[in-house]
């Protein structure tokens, strides 16, 4: 699972989380299955949370130096 | 004979009739520069149209006015209307039917022509519109690096989803070189592998200033972009070819920010709700399992071998107790019965009579003699007394 998770989009992860929730609410899983689903759910939550709240995004400016040579510099919003 | 002199009003009336009968003056387009523009409180507009040599008075009645063009002094316009005489002042003037800014007609025509052509080719078809990721992580923006548009886009995106990366490719947004610039930016973003969508745009301006976004080459570059393109050009009322061909049209640059990223606070709220439900569902599940377990456990305890042993032990104890009790009872019963019998035996014993002075007679075989009947004369009998016995001979018998 952790390997596959890397490519999961936010909506995919959220809908997986909602599926797990529905499964647990139905309540007819075996104990070990339900523990596994629960920990999967917590992991998905963390994954979604990180997607939303990871470090402040960067704002960059592209400088075209010609000959397909591009440079990325910090963009100053006040300039 | 002299013709009688005309009154002023009569001659003005006559001239007016000549003007209105003229086919050319009846429906005419005149180009010139607006000057002396006055907006009368009753809604009529008065101005003078001029070129470098001459002037023409114009009146634009409010019932003809469309709000397509806002007039101001110095504006070059093409005016359509008819020329007639204002009798009261004895002046002729242009009565305006409509006005368009000079040049816009040609631009508009070119716009319509290109729009039709691209539409016929299918460039605007919905089936080609690429969907925009719900949560883009990195957004490419092609716009002027100075000016309000770029700041609006950044501030709205940062407010709604602070974790988004924004890559700005600075481009000219007006003038001849602008379309090329914007195409280059789109191609650049497509060459990177980490961009989720592209915003192209600029702030509001005149139709000429926005013209770069009506470029055919730009339209085709947008169409061929593998990444979804959002166009955010000018104001809500401005439509450009880029708007039609792009995957999403944002009415303004800041609206583009609103459209491309969701609001992080909303999503966090929903996500937290999801976690709370997950935990409570899991707890509920575990409690149910626990209850089941406890139930089974208590059932198990009542059926456990130790409890059977305990049970049986108790029964055994009870049985033993009962047994002892019964034995005791029996014994006591027997004893008292025995004693009773003993005493009874005592009283019934023949020997007891002997104590009182009676004696018993038995024959030689020990048989008790109760009658004289079978007793033979001269036979020997035994007389048993209290303290011994004597042997006697029968001498006689009688009845």
């Amino acid at each position: 699972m952790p390997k596959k998770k890397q490519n999961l989009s936010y909506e995919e992860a959220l809908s997986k989380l909602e599926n797990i929730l529905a499964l647990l609410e139905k309540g007819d899983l075996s104990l070990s299955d339900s523990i596994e689903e629960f920990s999967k759910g917590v992991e998905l939550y963390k994954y979604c949370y990180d997607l939303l709240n990871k470090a402040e995004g960067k704002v960059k400016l592209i400088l075209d130096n010609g000959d397909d040579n591009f440079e990325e510099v910090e963009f100053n919003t006040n300039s | 004979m002299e013709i009688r002199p005309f009154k002023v009003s009569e001659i003005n009336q006559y001239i007016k009739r000549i003007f209105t009968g003229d086919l050319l003056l009846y429906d005419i387009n005149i180009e010139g520069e607006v000057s002396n523009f006055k907006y009368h409180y009753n809604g009529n507009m008065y101005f003078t149209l001029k070129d470098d040599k001459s002037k023409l008075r114009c009146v634009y009645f409010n019932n003809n006015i469309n709000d397509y063009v806002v007039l101001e002094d110095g504006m070059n316009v093409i005016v359509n209307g008819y020329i007639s005489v204002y009798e009261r002042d004895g002046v002729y003037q242009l009565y305006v039917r409509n006005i368009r800014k000079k040049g816009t007609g040609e631009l508009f025509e070119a716009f319509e022509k290109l729009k039709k052509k691209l539409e016929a080719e299918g460039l605007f078809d919905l089936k080609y519109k690429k969907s925009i990721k719900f949560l883009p992580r990195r957004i490419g923006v092609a716009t002027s690096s100075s000016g309000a548009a770029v700041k609006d886009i950044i501030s709205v995106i940062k407010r709604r989803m602070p974790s988004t990366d924004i890559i700005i490719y600075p481009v000219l947004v007006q003038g001849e070189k602008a379309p090329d610039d914007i195409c280059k930016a789109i191609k650049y973003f497509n060459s990177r592998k980490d961009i989720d969508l592209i915003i192209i745009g600029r702030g509001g301006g005149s139709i000429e200033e926005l013209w770069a976004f009506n470029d055919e080459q730009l339209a085709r570059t947008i169409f061929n972009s593998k990444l979804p393109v959002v166009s955010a050009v000018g104001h809500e009322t401005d439509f450009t070819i880029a708007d039609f061909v792009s995957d999403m049209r944002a009415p303004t640059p800041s609206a583009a920010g609103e459209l491309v990223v969701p609001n992080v606070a909303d999503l966090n709220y929903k996500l937290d709700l999801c976690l709370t439900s997950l935990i409570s569902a899991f707890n509920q599940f575990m409690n149910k399992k626990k209850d089941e377990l406890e139930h089974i456990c208590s059932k198990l305890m009542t059926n456990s071998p130790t409890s059977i042993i305990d049970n049986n032990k108790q029964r055994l104890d009870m049985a033993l107790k009962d047994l002892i009790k019964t034995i005791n009872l029996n014994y006591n019963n027997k004893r008292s019965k025995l004693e009773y019998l003993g005493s009874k035996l005592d009283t019934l014993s023949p020997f007891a009579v002997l104590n009182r002075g009676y004696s018993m007679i038995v024959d030689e075989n020990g048989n008790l003699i109760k009658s004289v009947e079978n007793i033979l004369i001269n036979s020997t009998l035994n007389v048993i007394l209290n303290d011994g016995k004597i042997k006697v001979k029968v001498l006689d018998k009688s009845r």
Side-chain angles (χ1 to χ4, degrees):
Chain A
M1 159 164 185
K3 215 174 176 187
K4 235 180 101 192
K5 209 178 64 180
Q6 294 304 318
N7 302 320
L8 224 51
S9 77
Y10 179 82
E11 309 103 284
E12 285 168 338
L14 188 68
S15 92
K16 277 192 172 199
L17 177 55
E18 281 166 344
N19 284 345
I20 286 174
L21 181 58
L23 265 179
L24 282 177
E25 274 171 350
K26 219 169 147 201
D28 48 23
L29 289 176
S30 75
L31 184 66
S32 65
D33 281 351
S34 82
I35 290 172
E36 198 187 317
E37 291 298 321
F38 177 71
S39 54
K40 262 194 216 166
V42 172
E43 260 187 60
L44 284 165
Y45 166 80
K46 273 196 216 144
Y47 177 71
C48 287
Y49 184 86
D50 288 347
L51 277 188
L52 293 182
N53 303 291
K54 67 168 190 196
E56 177 91 6
K58 296 180 280 289
V59 181
K60 299 277 190 183
L61 187 73
I62 301 299
L63 298 181
D64 183 354
N65 297 327
D67 299 330
D68 286 334
N69 174 14
F70 297 98
E71 200 182 326
E72 208 173 293
V73 296
E74 211 64 45
F75 181 74
N76 187 356
T77 329
N78 303 318
S79 68
Chain B
M1 190 179 108
E2 203 180 56
I3 303 173
R4 80 165 171 89
F6 288 102
K7 288 179 183 167
V8 174
S9 58
E10 280 172 336
I11 197 64
N12 277 347
Q13 225 169 44
Y14 178 75
I15 292 170
K16 184 179 179 178
R17 214 176 304 144
I18 291 174
F19 272 77
T20 49
D22 188 283
L23 278 176
L24 180 67
L25 296 182
Y26 178 68
D27 185 10
I28 194 166
N29 289 325
I30 301 165
E31 66 171 84
E33 187 190 319
V34 175
S35 68
N36 265 327
F37 175 76
K38 284 199 180 69
Y39 191 82
H40 198 262
Y41 66 86
N42 62 15
N44 299 339
M45 294 177 187
Y46 300 94
F47 58 95
T48 305
L49 207 57
K50 66 174 188 184
D51 61 13
D52 49 356
K53 292 185 183 117
S54 188
K55 292 180 180 180
L56 173 66
R57 277 179 63 162
C58 301
V59 56
Y60 196 1
F61 290 122
N62 63 356
N63 50 340
N64 286 332
I65 291 171
N66 62 47
D67 46 357
Y68 187 64
V69 176
V70 177
L71 290 180
E72 55 187 45
D73 285 349
M75 199 177 253
N76 284 309
V77 293
I78 295 170
V79 183
N80 169 266
Y82 63 96
I83 293 180
S84 184
V85 172
Y86 184 42
E87 288 176 41
R88 196 195 77 182
D89 292 355
V91 295
Y92 69 90
Q93 53 190 8
L94 177 66
Y95 292 82
V96 180
R97 288 199 191 93
N98 62 62
I99 298 175
R100 62 169 199 258
K101 273 170 83 178
K102 197 185 158 194
T104 54
E106 289 84 339
L107 285 180
F108 188 71
E109 242 169 61
F111 173 85
E112 280 296 316
K113 209 173 131 193
L114 180 58
K115 190 179 154 210
K116 280 211 183 81
K117 179 180 161 192
L118 298 180
E119 195 167 19
E121 285 182 36
L123 264 68
F124 305 161
D125 274 11
L126 283 180
K127 65 177 174 190
Y128 296 125
K129 303 283 183 206
K130 290 170 277 292
S131 65
I132 285 165
K133 237 181 174 178
F134 177 71
L135 189 69
R137 296 185 192 189
R138 190 163 295 128
I139 296 173
V141 180
T143 188
S144 163
S145 61
S146 59
V150 71
K151 282 182 186 163
D152 287 351
I153 291 172
I154 292 171
S155 77
V156 173
I157 290 177
K158 284 285 152 194
R159 167 167 58 74
R160 290 173 67 83
M161 187 58 67
S163 59
T164 319
D165 290 335
I166 302 171
I167 314 291
I168 293 151
Y169 190 109
V171 293
L172 293 170
V173 291
Q174 64 192 69
E176 266 172 42
K177 283 176 148 182
D180 256 9
D181 250 19
I182 302 165
C183 288
K184 242 174 152 179
I186 293 172
K187 284 174 189 157
Y188 168 76
F189 285 134
N190 270 284
S191 75
R192 286 176 67 135
K193 294 284 165 266
D194 57 350
I195 304 287
D196 290 319
L197 74 99
I198 303 168
I199 298 174
I200 60 170
R202 54 156 293 147
S206 67
I207 185 167
E208 291 89 347
E209 286 169 329
L210 305 183
W211 199 250
F213 292 88
N214 290 322
D215 182 80
E216 179 171 352
Q217 203 46 51
L218 175 59
R220 294 189 186 282
T221 306
I222 293 171
F223 183 77
N224 290 323
S225 168
K226 293 213 163 42
L227 297 173
V229 177
V230 175
S231 76
V233 182
H235 297 299
E236 229 167 315
T237 48
D238 300 319
F239 275 88
T240 62
I241 297 289
D243 290 328
F244 291 109
V245 72
S246 63
D247 300 291
M248 183 192 266
R249 175 198 183 242
T252 62
S254 41
E258 303 270 349
L259 289 171
V260 296
V261 290
N263 190 347
V264 71
D266 294 348
L267 294 188
N268 270 331
Y269 177 74
K270 217 174 124 186
L271 193 60
D272 280 352
L273 221 62
C274 224
L275 182 67
T276 318
S277 311
L278 186 72
I279 290 171
S280 85
F282 183 69
N283 279 346
Q284 223 162 14
F285 179 86
M286 290 310 273
N287 282 339
K288 205 178 104 191
K289 289 281 166 199
K290 224 165 88 184
D291 286 350
E292 274 171 20
L293 190 63
E294 266 168 19
H295 181 68
I296 290 169
C297 192
S298 76
K299 242 170 142 176
L300 196 64
M301 287 304 280
T302 50
N303 289 307
S304 86
T306 39
S307 92
I308 293 173
I309 288 170
D310 284 348
N311 240 352
N312 281 344
K313 230 158 113 184
Q314 201 177 359
R315 267 172 68 191
L316 199 62
D317 280 352
M318 295 283 274
L320 188 62
K321 236 182 218 165
D322 280 356
L323 191 65
I324 290 169
K325 210 163 135 193
T326 314
I327 287 171
N328 277 344
L329 197 69
N330 273 354
Y331 174 75
N332 287 340
N333 271 352
K334 291 252 162 72
R335 217 172 105 134
S336 55
K337 209 165 173 181
L338 208 61
E339 275 168 3
Y340 170 76
L341 284 177
S343 72
K344 194 117 183 211
L345 214 59
D346 259 3
T347 50
L348 288 176
S349 164
F351 299 104
V353 189
L354 301 183
N355 285 340
R356 299 204 297 272
Y358 295 95
S359 53
M360 263 187 323
I361 301 170
V362 294
D363 62 16
E364 280 174 317
N365 298 321
N367 296 320
L368 194 63
I369 307 293
K370 292 174 183 174
S371 157
V372 294
E373 202 161 326
N374 293 321
I375 296 197
L376 303 171
I377 305 291
N378 279 333
S379 64
T380 308
L381 298 171
N382 285 322
V383 177
I384 297 167
L385 297 155
N386 183 33
D387 54 350
K389 60 180 182 183
I390 50 173
K391 202 173 240 182
V392 294
K393 206 166 217 168
V394 177
L395 299 178
D396 198 9
K397 72 174 189 180
S398 60
R399 197 179 282 254

